Amino acid sequence: MFGFLKKKDKKAKVEEVVEPTLTEEEKQTLNNQIQDLTKQIEAADPEEKEAMAKLYEQLGLAYAQLDDTDQAIKALETSLDYKLTIKDGYKKLMSLYNAKRAEAARNGDDAGIDYYMNKMDDMRQIAKKVTISG
């Protein structure tokens, strides 16, 4: 009758989240997109902060789709160097930092845990700055 009085099943099933894998065609499309974005970045005026931020964000998101975490982090951090924002790139970067932190925890890497926790703290500060100034 009252669900909260029932004994909880200690053997509750944990569902594993399986990321869909990309087809070879999708991977090739992303690689082509990365090449195109890289050319656009090389040709762009670095003084155009907004445009550079957007290009690097797109580049980072493409790398993330290919599971190239280190390149994704590098591009997304560069995007934020050009312009602080809390759009898709920010959200993806936060999730990549969190995944790296979890990996460090699994490996017993205390320095890695601290590093990525600090990175996540930096991201929260960016969110505060953008929210206050916006």
Side-chain angles (χ1 to χ4, degrees):
M1 181 152 105
F2 295 105
F4 60 87
L5 294 176
K6 290 183 180 177
K7 247 185 175 177
K8 289 186 179 180
D9 181 13
K10 291 185 181 182
K11 295 181 181 179
K13 291 184 180 180
V14 177
E15 290 187 34
E16 187 177 330
V17 177
V18 178
E19 294 290 323
T21 55
L22 297 173
T23 66
E24 286 304 314
E25 184 177 329
E26 290 168 327
K27 287 178 187 178
Q28 187 58 49
T29 300
L30 284 168
N31 281 316
N32 290 342
Q33 182 182 358
I34 287 168
Q35 288 176 354
D36 185 48
L37 287 165
T38 302
K39 287 177 186 173
Q40 289 179 50
I41 288 168
E42 290 169 355
D45 179 0
E47 297 303 313
E48 295 289 330
K49 304 285 187 199
E50 185 110 12
M52 293 297 287
K54 186 172 182 167
L55 288 170
Y56 273 107
E57 181 182 53
Q58 291 171 344
L59 182 63
L61 292 172
Y63 275 125
Q65 283 186 281
L66 285 173
D67 288 327
D68 190 342
T69 303
D70 293 334
Q71 288 296 329
I73 288 173
K74 184 178 173 184
L76 293 170
E77 286 175 340
T78 303
S79 172
L80 291 174
D81 287 342
Y82 279 103
K83 184 172 192 279
L84 296 181
T85 179
I86 52 175
K87 294 181 180 175
D88 291 340
Y90 170 92
K91 294 171 193 167
K92 178 52 80 175
L93 186 55
M94 185 66 115
S95 74
L96 292 172
Y97 284 157
N98 194 41
K100 287 286 211 175
R101 180 213 43 85
E103 180 183 326
R106 282 190 301 276
N107 294 332
D109 176 9
D110 291 340
I113 294 169
D114 288 343
Y115 178 79
Y116 287 105
M117 287 299 290
N118 288 334
K119 287 289 200 174
M120 292 167 66
D121 286 341
D122 293 345
M123 296 296 285
R124 285 187 276 277
Q125 292 304 314
I126 289 171
K128 283 182 184 179
K129 283 181 191 175
V130 169
T131 303
I132 290 169
S133 69

